[in-house]
Amino acid sequence: LQGGEDMTKKIKLLLKEKGISQTELAENVGVSQAMISYIVKGFKAPSVTLLKRISDYLGVTMDELVQ
C-alpha cells in the first residue's frame, strides 16, 4: 500500500479526534491491539481487507487514509 507515513498519521489523528482507543479499534476490526499499534507506528502495513475495516470503522474512505 502506498501513503504509509501519511496513513499512520491519519489513523492516529482520527483515533484522537473520535476518542477511539487502539484497543477499541482492534476489537471492532478483528485484530489484536498490538497489530493496530504496529500499524500506527508504521512498523506494519495493513492488508487491503484490514484497511477497509479500519476505514469503515473510522467513517472515512480507504482513499482518504492512503492519500
Side-chain angles (χ1 to χ4, degrees):
L1 293 170
Q2 300 205 349
E5 189 175 317
D6 288 341
M7 179 185 61
T8 62
K9 287 179 185 175
K10 288 176 185 172
I11 292 172
K12 273 189 229 180
L13 182 65
L14 286 165
L15 289 173
K16 186 175 181 179
E17 284 179 355
K18 295 174 182 286
I20 299 170
S21 69
Q22 289 183 14
T23 302
E24 179 184 341
L25 177 61
E27 289 172 354
N28 283 280
V29 299
V31 297
S32 68
Q33 187 276 326
M35 180 62 166
I36 296 297
S37 179
Y38 292 145
I39 292 168
V40 168
K41 291 177 181 174
F43 297 145
K44 291 195 178 218
S47 66
V48 173
T49 302
L50 179 54
L51 184 61
K52 174 71 171 126
R53 282 188 257 155
I54 290 170
S55 66
D56 286 349
Y57 190 75
L58 295 176
V60 296
T61 66
M62 286 178 31
D63 285 344
E64 288 175 285
L65 287 182
V66 298
Q67 291 182 359

